[in-house]
Amino acid sequence: MKNVLNDFDKAFENRIRLGVMSALVVNDFVDFNTLKELLSVTDGNLASHLKSLEKSNYIIYEKKFLERKANTSYSATELGRKAFIKHLQAIEQLIKQL
């Protein structure tokens, strides 16, 4: 069991970061407002979790304007996808051992 726990990634221990990565791994990109609605969080709360994932190089963002409104979209990096899948596999292994 100890080996399985070594594959857990601290970046995904929070439900919001787990939710962000879940959304980004199955979509090419997701905009800020969609993530905010999906996860039922405030702007500031989401922004801080996104910043944490950015620092880990697990996500990237792109800013553009849509009809004069700023729009920020996020996507998972290849590193982020691999880390998230490894984390999920560790959870599955832990569950199988119980």
Side-chain angles (χ1 to χ4, degrees):
M1 182 194 292
K2 195 171 190 178
N3 291 338
V4 171
L5 296 177
N6 289 337
D7 287 336
F8 277 39
D9 192 323
K10 289 185 97 33
F12 309 127
E13 286 181 354
N14 182 281
R15 78 161 186 92
I16 296 169
R17 290 191 295 268
L18 189 66
V20 166
M21 287 305 294
S22 296
L24 296 181
V25 166
V26 297
N27 294 287
D28 290 335
F29 62 89
V30 181
D31 68 68
F32 185 90
N33 287 330
T34 300
L35 285 171
K36 187 173 93 169
E37 286 180 34
L38 179 69
L39 301 170
S40 300
V41 293
T42 63
D43 287 3
N45 197 351
L46 179 58
S48 68
H49 289 291
L50 291 169
K51 175 82 70 194
S52 174
L53 291 169
E54 284 176 54
K55 285 181 181 178
S56 298
N57 294 316
Y58 287 168
I59 66 170
I60 56 173
Y61 67 92
E62 179 182 347
K63 291 187 179 219
K64 50 186 158 178
F65 285 90
L66 298 174
E67 298 180 14
R68 296 186 184 198
K69 286 186 175 183
N71 182 288
T72 305
S73 295
Y74 295 86
S75 58
T77 63
E78 190 60 32
L79 176 67
R81 288 179 191 279
K82 287 179 182 178
F84 188 67
I85 290 168
K86 183 177 179 181
H87 182 78
L88 292 180
Q89 288 171 338
I91 291 171
E92 287 176 13
Q93 288 299 318
L94 181 64
I95 290 169
K96 287 178 184 176
Q97 290 180 11
L98 296 178

